[in-house]
Amino acid sequence: MNGENAFWTRLKEGTIAGLKKGWDGFVWMMKIIVPISLCTAIFDWSGLLGRLDFLLKPLMGWLDLPPAAALPLIIGMLSSVYGGIGAMIVFPFSTAQMTLMAVFILTAHALIQEGIIQGQSGIHPLKATLVRIGAAVVTVLLMVPWVGSSTVMPAAAYGALTVSPAFLEMIRHWAWTTFRLTAKIFFIIMALLTLLELLKAFGWIHPFVRAIGPFLRIMGLDQKVGFLWMTAVIFGLSYGGAIILEEAKSGRLSREDLELLHLSIGTNHSMVEDPPLFLPMGIHPFWLYVPRLVMAIIIVRLVRLWQRYARRPRQTA
């Protein structure tokens, strides 16, 4: 009977904690998504973005994206995934274009904030940031032939309109588009964070970390960084930063272990919460998960090869 009571108590506590964190997280995201998407819509309506075409077209064309894609990418890099999404929903991008943008933003977002966190716990922030931007660019370039993107917008956009819509009409369109997206995000994040809190309440996270030992070897990481890797993969660099920082201070991990960990999670983190936010846009889950995971493996393996080469004794003439 006590065991049954304990089960229902954990279930209740986990569900309540998950719903509370889900609501807090949703409100926090809306504070970012709504104002950024509104400012982007006004910026687009004003026609200013079309005047920057000459500057943005060559750069975005290299990534097989239209010039308008620069705004969500820049906002994502400087703010967060939510800011990038808020800017993306304003423009009539194709699914292929949104797929490339989503992978770029998922890899390289909140670079200043997360770079500082990484810098305090085992890797130089500039190095971590440059690797993430490089990984985002290379991943998108490798995806282009398979995704089939285009530098042309699929419908009339920013500078393509001969007559701009009335301001109130633009606001109505923005409000309806934003409402539909945020409603989907609400249900997704409430369900995910409730599931995570239930896993924590029943103590199932640590056994899961032990079970993924073979997968960590594929990732090129030592099992002793397993909990930290799982923390970043589930909660992200911002949420899991405190745990990573405390472990880095303990001295149980070498500088090489920490650097490899950060290069891996910098490219591939918050895999539970962030990718599903793009699902309402019609992006296939394969692109939201697999490319970043593969890129993280490649980066760690290349760094390990370099470390072995650097440690090799030099032969003197």
Side-chain angles (χ1 to χ4, degrees):
M1 198 67 173
N2 288 336
E4 185 178 347
N5 289 336
F7 172 83
W8 289 111
T9 299
R10 290 178 181 179
L11 181 64
K12 179 182 177 181
E13 290 176 351
T15 302
I16 293 174
L19 292 174
K20 183 179 184 303
K21 288 188 177 180
W23 173 253
D24 290 343
F26 174 75
V27 171
W28 180 67
M29 282 193 295
M30 290 307 100
K31 289 178 180 178
I32 298 172
I33 289 178
V34 173
I36 285 181
S37 64
L38 177 59
C39 290
T40 304
I42 295 172
F43 187 60
D44 172 41
W45 175 81
S46 70
L48 291 175
L49 188 60
R51 295 171 193 169
L52 298 176
D53 209 26
F54 73 97
L55 184 63
L56 301 176
K57 191 171 184 178
L59 183 61
M60 290 296 100
W62 188 51
L63 297 176
D64 217 37
L65 290 170
L71 200 57
L73 297 189
I74 292 171
I75 290 174
M77 285 191 289
L78 294 179
S79 61
S80 64
V81 169
Y82 318 121
I85 291 174
M88 281 176 65
I89 63 174
V90 173
F91 301 99
F93 294 116
S94 68
T95 301
Q97 290 165 347
M98 287 192 293
T99 298
L100 296 181
M101 295 163 64
V103 172
F104 190 103
I105 292 171
L106 285 170
T107 306
H109 59 266
L111 293 177
I112 297 174
Q113 173 185 323
E114 294 183 349
I116 293 173
I117 292 171
Q118 289 190 283
Q120 293 177 341
S121 56
I123 189 173
H124 195 286
L126 181 59
K127 183 176 185 178
T129 300
L130 291 177
V131 168
R132 289 179 66 184
I133 295 174
V137 171
V138 172
T139 305
V140 167
L141 290 176
L142 291 175
M143 286 173 56
V144 165
W146 304 95
V147 174
S149 181
S150 170
T151 58
V152 180
M153 298 290 279
Y158 58 97
L161 290 173
T162 53
V163 179
S164 296
F167 183 77
L168 289 179
E169 181 184 339
M170 180 273 294
I171 291 295
R172 281 196 297 268
H173 174 74
W174 163 81
W176 176 240
T177 303
T178 304
F179 172 76
R180 285 188 303 170
L181 178 70
T182 54
K184 293 176 182 178
I185 289 176
F186 172 79
F187 289 108
I188 289 172
I189 195 168
M190 292 294 281
L192 285 176
L193 288 183
T194 300
L195 175 61
L196 283 176
E197 288 302 313
L198 286 172
L199 290 174
K200 288 166 63 179
F202 285 98
W204 291 340
I205 290 184
H206 284 285
F208 183 68
V209 170
R210 289 195 295 270
I212 64 168
F215 182 73
L216 286 171
R217 287 194 289 273
I218 295 174
M219 296 292 297
L221 300 171
D222 194 288
Q223 191 164 351
K224 61 187 173 183
V225 303
F227 178 70
L228 299 182
W229 182 84
M230 182 58 64
T231 298
V233 166
I234 294 177
F235 300 105
L237 288 175
S238 297
Y239 299 143
I243 299 174
I244 298 171
L245 181 59
E246 286 304 312
E247 189 65 21
K249 289 178 179 178
S250 71
R252 287 187 289 267
L253 299 174
S254 68
R255 184 173 182 82
E256 285 186 358
D257 288 332
L258 285 169
E259 183 169 284
L260 290 171
L261 170 68
H262 276 294
L263 292 177
S264 178
I265 62 178
T267 304
N268 184 62
H269 63 269
S270 198
M271 294 290 278
V272 174
E273 181 182 342
D274 289 349
L277 300 177
F278 291 92
L279 292 177
M281 300 179 185
I283 300 172
H284 196 284
F286 175 87
W287 299 115
L288 297 173
Y289 289 96
V290 177
R292 285 198 298 154
L293 187 64
V294 172
M295 183 56 62
I297 294 172
I298 292 172
I299 290 172
V300 171
R301 293 292 181 181
L302 288 175
V303 173
R304 278 200 178 277
L305 285 175
W306 170 253
Q307 288 176 347
R308 269 194 221 116
Y309 173 79
R311 284 196 298 262
R312 192 174 63 181
R314 299 285 187 269
Q315 293 182 351
T316 56

